[in-house]
Amino acid sequence: MPIIFKIFIFFHVSLYGIGSQFLILPFSSKELSIGSHPTLFEHDPVNPSLYHAIEDRPSISFNQGTWFGDVGLTQAGYNFEKNNVITHFGFKYSGITDLEFRNDSPSDSPLSYFSSFGISFDAGKAIVRDNQRYGVSISYVHFGIFTYESKGLGLNFGYSLDLGNKIQGGAVIQNVGKMSKFRTDKILLPQRVLVGCSKEFKINQIKNSVYTSIEKNSLISTAKIHIGNHFNWTRFNLYSGFSSSTGVIESSVGVGLLLSRFEVVYGLRFGSQNIGIPQIISIRFLMS
């Protein structure tokens, strides 16, 4: 393999998150716009203890969007609850198809085009016990660049606690597992730990929730701070967020509407890297 191609793969994986890094990307518009919080109730949340469903009313979610560098994001999930146990099945895909293959000789046209992708299938359960919730999920992970691939399994653990007075606390450990070698290189899952809390305020029909959390993952040497806000008035929702780590600052906004059995949410994120504007649209549907 030409050395220029090796360097390209290194920067492409690091910058765009197509390697195992895709596992820590936000795949829903709520997470994109509010931030990655272990107290955020979602259809496919960061915290597996917070899988959301209504008793005997299964729900389906579908998310479609783009990440930095025009990387495509797709996620689908199915949740149902029975006897205070929520079961989740999900699918995530991240990829880009028009990458150029070039050698170390300058040319106007690439030698060929190739794709890069990351895909995961996950299943999990959340158990509710009084004011506490416990969750665990397992993911089958598969990613590839050019003709090289890596596969493996990852485990995710979550816990959340209702502290009363509309205050919630939570903690998450993600991506504990192992991957096969990528060509001759050892691949590590991006292990991630998050802790945080949230507080809901209510005035008449208006609800406002504030989220704060801190994240430590194996991809960056320093901690990442997330701050988010969710404003709700009847069927209208407004989301906003801010995150910061060494040399990188991101802000985000989103808007959502609940219509009968449908929920539609659209989110945007703006980063200091100036390499695009991630955006995701999410649809959730109650089946009965």
Side-chain angles (χ1 to χ4, degrees):
M1 180 188 297
I3 186 64
I4 189 170
F5 186 57
K6 291 182 180 179
I7 294 173
F8 173 81
I9 284 183
F10 173 78
F11 281 104
H12 176 75
V13 171
S14 300
L15 181 62
Y16 297 133
I18 295 296
S20 60
Q21 294 94 325
F22 84 95
L23 293 171
I24 64 174
L25 298 184
F27 276 83
S28 75
S29 51
K30 285 185 183 179
E31 185 183 351
L32 181 74
S33 53
I34 298 178
S36 300
H37 299 282
T39 55
L40 177 62
F41 275 91
E42 254 281 46
H43 199 267
D44 185 12
V46 170
N47 189 338
S49 72
L50 297 180
Y51 288 132
H52 177 65
I54 299 175
E55 182 77 24
D56 297 324
R57 299 189 69 185
S59 59
I60 294 176
S61 68
F62 181 78
N63 305 278
Q64 180 71 48
T66 57
W67 185 241
F68 291 116
D70 292 327
V71 173
L73 301 177
T74 301
Q75 189 273 340
Y78 172 82
N79 289 6
F80 67 91
E81 178 180 356
K82 188 173 183 179
N83 299 326
N84 289 327
V85 177
I86 300 95
T87 301
H88 167 82
F89 297 100
F91 159 84
K92 295 178 181 177
Y93 170 83
S94 172
I96 190 167
T97 58
D98 57 351
L99 300 174
E100 296 182 354
F101 181 87
R102 296 176 180 269
N103 57 23
D104 51 2
S105 300
S107 63
D108 293 332
S109 302
L111 298 176
S112 63
Y113 294 89
F114 65 98
S115 63
S116 179
F117 71 90
I119 187 171
S120 74
F121 296 92
D122 55 280
K125 284 186 178 292
I127 301 174
V128 182
R129 293 290 183 267
D130 298 323
N131 66 333
Q132 301 181 77
R133 298 172 67 105
Y134 307 86
V136 62
S137 67
I138 184 170
S139 301
Y140 168 76
V141 183
H142 181 195
F143 78 88
I145 300 175
F146 193 49
T147 59
Y148 307 114
E149 299 181 347
S150 179
K151 303 174 184 178
L153 294 175
L155 290 171
N156 310 288
F157 305 93
Y159 172 78
S160 60
L161 174 65
D162 185 354
L163 298 170
N165 198 29
K166 301 295 184 178
I167 300 175
Q168 190 89 12
V172 180
I173 299 175
Q174 285 188 328
N175 304 319
V176 178
K178 187 176 182 180
M179 300 288 293
S180 63
K181 286 188 175 181
F182 183 76
R183 196 166 179 252
T184 58
D185 298 324
K186 185 178 180 180
I187 297 297
L188 299 177
L189 289 172
Q191 293 186 2
R192 189 187 197 193
V193 177
L194 299 102
V195 293
C197 63
S198 61
K199 165 70 176 175
E200 179 185 299
F201 303 89
K202 184 176 181 181
I203 303 177
N204 298 324
Q205 291 184 306
I206 296 176
K207 296 180 182 179
N208 195 82
S209 298
V210 179
Y211 299 84
T212 60
S213 62
I214 185 168
E215 170 186 346
K216 187 69 177 73
N217 67 57
S218 58
L219 300 180
I220 55 178
S221 58
T222 58
K224 187 174 185 178
I225 297 173
H226 302 274
I227 299 174
N229 192 82
H230 174 196
F231 172 87
N232 168 259
W233 177 64
T234 63
R235 297 181 179 275
F236 175 76
N237 295 280
L238 184 64
Y239 311 98
S240 60
F242 171 86
S243 65
S244 175
S245 60
T246 302
V248 178
I249 296 176
E250 297 172 344
S251 59
S252 49
V253 294
V255 61
L257 191 63
L258 183 63
L259 300 171
S260 184
R261 294 187 296 171
F262 286 92
E263 182 182 26
V264 180
V265 182
Y266 176 71
L268 291 167
R269 180 173 292 190
F270 308 92
S272 58
Q273 308 98 319
N274 295 318
I275 53 174
I277 301 177
Q279 52 188 314
I280 298 175
I281 184 167
S282 303
I283 299 174
R284 184 171 67 90
F285 172 66
L286 290 176
M287 297 178 65
S288 61

